[in-house]
Amino acid sequence: MRIIVASVRTPFIHGGAEVLADELIKALRSAGHEAELVVVPFNPSDSEGIPDQMLACALMSLDEIGGAKVDRLIALKFPAYFIQHPNKVVWLLHQHRAAYDLWDHPLGGLHNAARGTLVRDIIRRADGKMCAEVKGLFTLSENVTQRLRRFLNVESIPLPHPPAHAELFYCADEVEDYIFFPSRLSGTKRQDLALRALSLTRNPVRVRFAGAADSVAYDEGLRQLARELRVHSRVDWMGFLSEEEKYHGYARALAVLFPPFDEDYGYVTLEAMLAGKAVITCHDSGGPLEFLLPNKTGLVTPPTPGDLAVAMDMLWQDRELARKLGRAARHHYSALDLSWAKVVRKLLA
């Protein structure tokens, strides 16, 4: 089959969605298909211009390229899933969350726009129409499926998948004195919560943050907060890591910290499991909770600095517990039986 995978990209931001699109293309080609990635630029900060960006996608048709038929379009993200094709399947990574669960939330922003309510309603109507018209509707996770059901009363099928280069993660024989927090620096990932928790730990816990910042302001704000809380000497800002550096960061960590707000999927959790590491996350973290077994492969706490500090102290003090949870996490990952071959079969069925 000739297949186009359609997604969007916000300039200067590279995260899990971009990795997923590349891995899907590889999986489709490995299965013998001709596959290409089409990426549409998207600026979520331009709230007033979002309807225009939606319209630009809706006016685009990809059923034929160069006189040759395209057999299937697999769309991943808003607003790329409005691109026209008679045999379109959507594997939804997430909706435009500012119009849904982040409406009226500090992490959103659309509600503050002059025409925010109008734009929200336009998005919701268009999404509902899209869901009714596509040939197949899949989601990244049960969390995303629940959001669709909650806001649009639409049913969909969760389609989990393995992280990129899953076979390259490993656990080192000797660990170092740090808890690893590998994620881009963003308000939804809640590095600020981690810093506040660090300031309340009873032990000299160290945290290594690894990832580029979504904005200079958030990056500077985190560093200022670390200084104000007097934990800057116990924090390492690693920035963007190469793949080899990332594997090493996981391998030698005591544990992995990942307390995002309502994460869509959470590659960090799966990567930590592959590396045989216990994960600390929160009750409202969303996607990670679909894979983590509380008190068996990691720790789940209320999203407060004090509760998170207790969990960090627990693994810092009890290294054997950290190892035990990590071993169980690696075993549990194997039991999940995630594969790209399954994903491809579902998307092309």
Side-chain angles (χ1 to χ4, degrees):
M1 295 175 68
R2 298 183 81 223
I3 303 165
I4 287 179
V5 174
S7 191
V8 301
R9 174 78 186 273
T10 300
F12 308 110
I13 293 180
H14 186 275
E18 288 71 38
V19 174
L20 178 146
D22 290 339
E23 291 299 301
L24 177 56
I25 291 293
K26 292 178 186 177
L28 290 166
R29 290 173 179 171
S30 295
H33 302 285
E34 185 179 356
E36 290 289 340
L37 176 63
V38 172
V39 179
V40 179
F42 177 56
N43 181 10
S45 300
D46 182 16
S47 299
E48 300 289 319
I50 285 177
D52 293 333
Q53 297 180 73
M54 294 167 62
L55 179 61
C57 289
L59 292 174
M60 189 185 308
S61 177
L62 294 177
D63 58 322
E64 183 181 292
I65 301 293
K69 177 185 176 183
V70 175
D71 299 298
R72 180 153 301 186
L73 174 69
I74 302 173
L76 303 178
K77 292 184 71 177
F78 172 92
Y81 50 59
F82 295 124
I83 295 173
Q84 297 297 310
H85 192 280
N87 196 14
K88 176 168 62 178
V89 170
V90 171
W91 186 18
L92 184 64
L93 307 193
H94 59 75
Q95 300 154 283
H96 187 59
R97 294 180 62 186
Y100 292 96
D101 58 302
L102 295 184
W103 180 261
D104 271 339
H105 192 282
L107 293 174
L110 182 59
H111 57 278
N112 293 321
R115 297 193 304 156
T117 300
L118 175 62
V119 173
R120 179 199 64 185
D121 293 344
I122 289 172
I123 291 171
R124 292 188 179 188
R125 283 197 297 269
D127 280 357
K129 184 172 183 290
M130 176 276 295
C131 290
E133 294 177 347
V134 294
K135 300 297 184 182
L137 183 58
F138 301 90
T139 64
L140 185 65
S141 64
E142 179 61 35
N143 195 32
V144 179
T145 284
Q146 289 177 3
R147 285 195 210 128
L148 272 179
R149 186 181 298 126
R150 172 186 170 193
F151 288 102
L152 297 177
N153 195 28
V154 170
E155 293 301 322
S156 55
I157 301 173
L159 198 54
H161 61 286
H165 311 300
E167 71 283 359
L168 297 180
F169 289 88
Y170 67 98
C171 181
D173 293 333
E174 298 293 331
V175 301
E176 297 178 18
D177 286 339
Y178 67 89
I179 293 175
F180 198 39
F181 191 152
S183 181
R184 74 178 198 275
L185 306 185
S186 171
T188 59
K189 308 303 181 183
R190 298 199 295 204
Q191 284 87 0
D192 57 330
L193 175 60
L195 289 174
R196 296 182 192 282
L198 187 61
S199 72
L200 299 178
T201 56
R202 296 171 178 268
N203 294 278
V205 178
R206 292 193 66 86
V207 176
R208 286 188 182 175
F209 294 97
D214 280 1
S215 71
V216 173
Y218 188 69
D219 186 12
E220 293 177 347
L222 287 176
R223 294 169 188 266
Q224 178 61 30
L225 179 62
R227 290 190 291 270
E228 291 174 358
L229 295 172
R230 298 182 180 179
V231 295
H232 55 284
S233 62
R234 294 194 282 135
V235 169
D236 297 309
W237 304 103
M238 309 299 289
F240 181 80
L241 299 184
S242 68
E243 289 299 296
E244 287 298 326
E245 290 170 331
K246 182 177 74 172
Y247 305 142
H248 180 85
Y250 275 111
R252 304 197 70 83
L254 170 64
V256 170
L257 176 61
F258 190 51
F261 173 73
D262 201 24
E263 183 79 0
D264 303 311
Y265 191 60
Y267 284 113
V268 171
T269 308
L270 292 174
E271 291 173 346
M273 294 166 71
L274 283 164
K277 302 299 175 181
V279 176
I280 302 172
T281 192
C282 294
H283 290 150
D284 64 349
S285 288
L289 303 176
E290 296 179 31
F291 305 109
L292 191 151
L293 302 177
N295 301 317
K296 295 182 179 179
T297 64
L299 303 177
V300 183
T301 81
T304 69
D307 289 294
L308 209 56
V310 170
M312 294 163 69
D313 272 328
M314 184 181 299
L315 296 187
W316 190 268
Q317 290 178 257
D318 193 341
R319 304 300 173 96
E320 181 52 39
L321 174 62
R323 285 190 288 270
K324 178 183 176 181
L325 296 176
R327 288 193 296 268
R330 184 63 184 85
H331 179 76
H332 182 53
Y333 179 90
S334 299
L336 294 173
D337 194 26
L338 302 177
S339 80
W340 278 104
K342 289 182 179 180
V343 171
V344 169
R345 285 198 298 270
K346 290 280 190 179
L347 293 175
L348 301 185

